[in-house]
Amino acid sequence: MTLELVTIPCLKDNYAYLLHDAASGETTLIDAPEAAPILSVLKARRWRLDQILLTHHHGDHIDGVPDIIEATSADILGAAADAHRLPPLTRGLIEADTVQIGAEKGYVIDVPGHTVGHLAFYFPASGYCFTADSLMAAGCGRLFEGTPQQMFESLAKLQQLPPTTIICSGHEYTAANLAFAATIDPENRALQARIRAVTRARSGGHPTVPVALSEELATNPFLRAQDPYIRAQLGMADATDAQVFTEIRALKDKF
Ligand code: ZN
Ligand code: FE
């Protein structure tokens, strides 16, 4: 039996996610941008909240924690390395630690780049990976603290997950990310199809996340540094994948 996923729009363009295990009645929240929309989903579904997994310390991912804790007394789990700048943690996490939701295990993946303490959470049995501001829909997070090399290596880890993995990222930035992608990968038919689908979804007010890793592999330029067409486009046929990635990240910052 797999976990039930609920995507919750928060603030202007953030997403929080709930994972619910019907067998045990346990529910886990991934990131807490603001309390009200999360508490209202919990109330409507009559779910009790057991734990909160925090991906990184930015306010738009943790500011809802105090009000949610007051209402639910859930455990708080986040990067041990960032304990000094996260809400008080019940348990600090490092790479390869496991978290539990009912009978299902989740694995902690260290994905520095956007921040140096950024974590992703992977649940292989259900096929979900929570990537927040590391791997994002059609993009990746801005490098506030880490180096391009760190983000390149973080994304390389995520790219190795099964292509059917459902990537649950932190923001509704997809349309802007795709507009940038089209400037460096203009002939990509899968990318053109995704732009049409995302335009339709947004005009109907629907979220464009989560999305399968296979779709990211086909259309996200930050996962496509090895693509001969993109390399030729950038005049970087002989560069390393990490150098091409670094250039794509720099171009996106200027876009
Ligand atoms: Zn962030
Ligand atoms: Fe964010």
Side-chain angles (χ1 to χ4, degrees), residues 14 56 60-61 114 133 171:
N14 275 79
H56 67 295
D60 64 313
H61 297 256
H114 177 69
D133 299 356
H171 287 270

Side-chain angles (χ1 to χ4, degrees), residues 7-201:
T7 303
I8 307 175
C10 293
L11 304 173
K12 192 169 125 273
D13 55 26
N14 275 79
Y15 289 111
Y17 298 92
L18 287 172
L19 275 181
H20 178 73
D21 175 55
S24 63
E26 287 179 29
T27 305
T28 288
L29 169 69
I30 297 91
D31 279 348
E34 60 174 334
I38 293 163
L39 292 174
S40 90
V41 171
L42 288 168
K43 190 171 172 207
R45 300 199 174 223
R46 298 168 191 267
W47 289 349
R48 92 173 176 259
L49 186 67
D50 300 282
Q51 65 184 347
I52 305 173
L53 304 179
L54 298 173
T55 59
H56 67 295
H57 74 281
H58 285 160
D60 64 313
H61 297 256
I62 66 170
D63 283 351
V65 167
D67 286 348
I68 292 172
I69 288 308
E70 206 168 287
T72 68
S73 73
D75 289 340
I76 311 172
L77 284 68
D82 274 344
H84 61 287
R85 53 183 185 175
L86 288 168
L89 297 177
T90 313
R91 178 151 80 95
L93 300 170
I94 60 167
E95 167 95 356
D97 272 352
T98 59
V99 297
Q100 197 78 30
I101 306 178
E104 186 159 342
K105 259 188 184 28
Y107 295 85
V108 175
I109 308 176
D110 203 16
V111 287
H114 177 69
T115 66
V116 292
H118 199 302
L119 301 179
F121 302 101
Y122 176 48
F123 293 83
S126 293
Y128 298 119
C129 189
F130 298 87
T131 59
D133 299 356
S134 59
L135 176 58
M136 307 185 78
C140 73
R142 206 171 265 273
L143 301 175
F144 286 114
E145 298 178 355
T147 63
Q149 181 67 30
Q150 278 179 316
M151 181 62 98
F152 177 76
E153 287 166 15
S154 295
L155 298 185
K157 290 186 199 175
L158 298 172
Q159 271 178 92
Q160 285 162 17
L161 301 178
T164 50
T165 304
I166 301 300
I167 302 295
C168 306
S169 55
H171 287 270
E172 184 58 60
Y173 293 163
T174 320
N177 286 342
L178 288 168
F180 167 73
T183 65
I184 66 159
D185 199 8
E187 309 277 309
N188 183 336
R189 304 284 292 271
L191 175 58
Q192 291 157 10
R194 189 174 185 186
I195 290 171
R196 290 192 293 274
V198 162
T199 305
R200 243 184 345 262

Side-chain angles (χ1 to χ4, degrees), residues 178-231:
L178 288 168
F180 167 73
T183 65
I184 66 159
D185 199 8
E187 309 277 309
N188 183 336
R189 304 284 292 271
L191 175 58
Q192 291 157 10
R194 189 174 185 186
I195 290 171
R196 290 192 293 274
V198 162
T199 305
R200 243 184 345 262
R202 292 313 293 154
S203 63
H206 306 297
T208 63
V209 298
V211 59
L213 178 59
S214 55
E215 176 102 4
E216 296 303 334
L217 293 169
T219 58
N220 186 329
F222 296 100
L223 302 184
R224 295 172 57 74
Q226 78 295 341
D227 182 73
Y229 178 84
I230 291 179
R231 300 168 75 90

